Amino acid sequence: MEGLFLTAAFVFVAFIANTFRFYANGYINRLIFVMSTVLLVLLEQWFATPSHTSWLLLFAIAATVVSFHFSGGMIAAALSSWYLWITTGAMEPSVYAAYFLFAGSVYAIRYYVRKIRQQRDRWLEILTFNSKQLNVTKDVSQAMQETFNTKRLLETILTSMTAGHGLGYNRAMIFLLSEDGNSLKGIMATGPVRAEEGFKIWEDITANRYGLTDLIDKKEAEKSDQQLNEIVQDMTIPLQEKSFLRDVMESGYPLLIKEADTHDGLMMRFYHTLGLKEFVVIPLLHQGVKSGVVIIDNLVNQKPLNMHDVDIITPLATQAAIALQQASQYESVERMALKDGLTNLYNQRAFQQSLSDDFCARPFSIILLDIDFFKNYNDTNGHMLGNEVLVQLAGVITKSLRGDDLAYRFGGEEFVILLPHTPRDQAIKVAERIRKRVEETAFPKGELQPEGKLTVSLGVAESDGTADPFDTVEFADQALYEAKESGKNRVAVKVGM
């Protein structure tokens, strides 16, 4: 009967203790655990066999060590010794010593187990983070292989530094070095301007489980981070003035800022404009070539930054520098491939590409231009002088165009001009302006031409954006033929498309 009562008492105490622990904080939890253990020892003494008290107190000591470490265990051993002496009336030094030895042993075991667990957790944390870094590096490398588009590369790099899928920093901003090397220009940024915006973004990412590619596509579709982008892109940082960015560009070393320096005017500008307090600046550096800087911070969660973060970001910044250099070289080669080597106008390949672009899906006009009697000019003066005429004519055409107009050397002495969003009557005015300026320009040996000067004939055609753009080219060619046949040095128009 006593055993049944004791079991019921144990169950009752355990239920009450765990109920309170559910609603209590950590310290109270540990205290309840210890007190419930002591209470169970007392219940066993009162309702069962008092002779068991001496070794049951070991449970109370163990519970105290687990909950309150070494000092708690020593106090529990002292109190257990005192309680045993009070209840038995006998002095048992060997038992008391055993209590203290037991408390020390339990603490040693607990300490060892805790160290092993901490080491395991640390290794797990390192492995998890390294795995995330490898995934980010893989995604960025894949993006570098898929495109040389600078905008897409920058979006990939910045997104990989931020968001939960990436390295997890709250914001990242890229500033690139100008061509003359005298300033840094804000190019792109990702993240919120204010902390509360960041929480909303995180909730959305968590709810939808976006991956890196999903986040980049989402940014492009929704133009997210627009406010931060506008602020950053409006920044041009002169490097002649003393500042923290100039120090980074000159030294080539990363910089960890723990608190904004009130004596640095540029740093205070970042502080007031973007709330930048604690941040890291990493140079974009590859093979000694500096192309800019990336700045990261934790505006939203206020997580402190340290040199470990510098070590984390630096490889990605190096990868970004490599990607940007490759993209720049590719774009340079691409520009060269689309440019005429003699006149520096766009070439026929670029013209074919332009006809496939979106603007040809909207109304536009086209002008075809051909030098009159150019074979006679080359036969009379030689091809070297003929090349000089082509270069000079390209300059006249370029100066006669409006802001959005595009000029191409179609081949030989023939040129093409695309005029986006331009109706036929305005295109005729542009063509006539070019014709007149060519007529008034003094070309070398131009007086030896049949008309006593070098002239051009021009054909104009218009597209409403629905027809095949190559049909419009054919109509402009027919108009050019009419201009040639009707006397040269004039503008003809093909109507009725």
Side-chain angles (χ1 to χ4, degrees):
M1 187 68 180
E2 287 182 355
L4 182 62
F5 179 81
L6 185 60
T7 301
F10 282 0
V11 172
F12 177 76
V13 170
F15 175 77
I16 296 298
N18 281 287
T19 301
F20 277 106
R21 289 182 68 193
F22 182 78
Y23 293 102
N25 60 33
Y27 178 82
I28 300 298
N29 255 318
R30 296 195 298 272
L31 189 60
I32 292 173
F33 174 60
V34 171
M35 296 306 296
S36 60
T37 305
V38 171
L39 181 58
L40 289 173
V41 172
L42 294 176
L43 286 172
E44 194 278 340
Q45 182 187 16
W46 295 337
F47 297 106
T49 307
S51 60
H52 294 167
T53 303
S54 58
W55 63 266
L56 285 174
L57 285 170
L58 294 174
F59 288 102
I61 294 172
T64 309
V65 173
V66 171
S67 300
F68 297 103
H69 311 300
F70 183 77
S71 58
M74 292 298 104
I75 294 172
L79 290 174
S80 296
S81 301
W82 175 80
Y83 180 76
L84 187 63
W85 175 59
I86 291 296
T87 55
T88 63
M91 180 66 68
E92 300 183 62
S94 59
V95 176
Y96 307 153
Y99 284 164
F100 283 97
L101 182 61
F102 178 75
S105 300
V106 172
Y107 176 76
I109 295 171
R110 180 188 181 281
Y111 179 80
Y112 179 72
V113 171
R114 185 184 178 195
K115 292 295 288 186
I116 292 177
R117 184 180 298 170
Q118 286 177 340
Q119 188 176 33
R120 183 201 64 187
D121 292 344
R122 176 61 180 159
W123 280 111
L124 182 61
E125 181 183 349
I126 291 172
L127 288 172
T128 302
F129 189 82
N130 286 344
S131 175
K132 179 179 283 190
Q133 274 190 304
L134 286 173
N135 285 330
V136 169
T137 303
K138 180 197 71 175
D139 288 339
V140 173
S141 298
Q142 185 176 349
M144 289 170 59
Q145 294 170 8
E146 290 176 351
T147 181
F148 282 110
N149 182 284
T150 303
K151 182 175 181 291
R152 179 78 177 186
L153 284 171
L154 290 175
E155 286 174 340
T156 302
I157 291 161
L158 288 176
T159 306
S160 67
M161 292 179 180
T162 57
H165 176 83
L167 298 181
Y169 298 100
N170 296 172
R171 294 192 300 187
M173 295 159 263
I174 283 185
F175 293 78
L176 296 183
L177 192 64
S178 61
E179 291 186 3
D180 59 14
N182 292 327
S183 63
L184 287 169
K185 179 73 175 66
I187 301 298
M188 190 177 293
T190 186
V193 176
R194 290 173 292 275
E196 54 270 21
E197 296 171 0
F199 288 115
K200 293 178 182 178
I201 294 171
W202 280 354
E203 288 174 1
D204 182 39
I205 292 171
T206 302
N208 293 281
R209 297 184 179 181
Y210 291 122
L212 182 60
T213 305
D214 299 324
L215 286 170
I216 296 167
D217 294 337
K218 183 174 184 291
K219 288 174 185 292
E220 289 180 344
E222 299 181 2
K223 299 187 183 334
S224 58
D225 307 317
Q226 184 173 355
Q227 188 176 1
L228 182 63
N229 260 316
E230 288 176 354
I231 294 173
V232 169
Q233 289 170 2
D234 196 42
M235 289 183 168
T236 299
I237 314 300
L239 295 178
Q240 296 89 345
E241 302 173 7
K242 180 69 176 174
S243 70
F244 70 98
L245 288 182
R246 176 181 166 182
D247 292 342
V248 171
M249 291 301 296
E250 287 182 348
S251 68
Y253 291 107
L255 182 64
L256 171 63
I257 303 295
K258 299 298 289 184
E259 188 175 348
D261 182 1
T262 56
H263 296 97
D264 190 318
L266 179 61
M267 198 176 296
M268 295 311 295
R269 176 184 171 191
F270 273 90
Y271 172 74
H272 292 300
T273 306
L274 297 171
L276 215 59
K277 301 175 184 176
E278 181 179 354
F279 57 95
V280 172
V281 185
I282 309 287
L284 299 175
L285 179 66
H286 175 57
Q287 295 182 341
V289 179
K290 302 164 190 169
S291 52
V293 298
V294 58
I295 300 175
I296 62 166
D297 78 329
N298 286 326
L299 173 75
V300 183
N301 61 14
Q302 299 295 313
K303 182 181 178 182
L305 298 168
N306 52 45
M307 291 308 296
H308 180 61
D309 296 295
V310 174
D311 294 337
I312 292 169
I313 289 291
T314 298
L316 198 57
T318 301
Q319 202 172 11
I322 296 171
L324 289 171
Q325 286 185 30
Q326 289 178 343
S328 176
Q329 291 169 0
Y330 176 82
E331 289 174 357
S332 177
V333 171
E334 188 72 8
R335 283 194 299 270
M336 291 173 62
L338 297 175
K339 286 293 186 80
D340 175 57
L342 179 64
T343 63
N344 203 37
L345 296 180
Y346 289 111
N347 58 22
Q348 185 172 156
R349 177 187 172 193
F351 175 66
Q352 301 285 343
Q353 184 174 308
S354 296
L355 289 182
S356 303
D357 287 347
D358 289 340
F359 85 83
C360 285
R362 297 183 291 271
F364 73 96
S365 289
I366 187 169
I367 300 172
L368 256 62
L369 177 155
D370 187 89
I371 301 176
D372 298 328
F373 304 110
F374 192 62
K375 183 179 184 305
N376 174 78
Y377 186 94
N378 279 333
D379 292 343
T380 304
N381 304 299
H383 288 277
M384 292 295 291
L385 206 58
N387 286 344
E388 289 186 27
V389 167
L390 291 173
V391 172
Q392 191 175 355
L393 176 60
V396 174
I397 293 172
T398 302
K399 292 176 182 177
S400 303
L401 300 182
R402 306 162 306 167
D404 293 333
D405 299 338
L406 299 170
Y408 309 79
R409 184 185 176 197
F410 197 69
E413 70 275 22
E414 195 169 32
F415 297 79
V416 184
I417 301 159
L418 285 178
L419 302 95
H421 313 290
T422 303
R424 183 172 54 240
D425 56 343
Q426 291 185 26
I428 293 171
K429 291 180 181 178
V430 174
E432 185 59 37
R433 181 164 63 244
I434 294 172
R435 186 203 65 77
K436 187 175 181 181
R437 287 185 178 180
V438 171
E439 186 180 41
E440 295 172 349
T441 298
F443 291 91
K445 305 294 184 178
E447 67 277 5
L448 300 180
Q449 286 291 86
E451 294 186 358
K453 55 191 172 185
L454 190 138
T455 60
V456 294
S457 298
L458 305 97
V460 178
E462 177 188 25
S463 170
D464 61 2
T466 60
D468 187 331
F470 291 94
D471 290 342
T472 309
V473 177
E474 179 62 29
F475 288 127
D477 189 56
Q478 293 174 17
L480 174 60
Y481 180 79
E482 288 182 16
K484 289 282 190 182
E485 289 297 306
S486 59
K488 301 182 176 58
N489 191 21
R490 64 192 61 207
V491 176
V493 184
K494 181 67 176 179
V495 185
M497 291 172 283

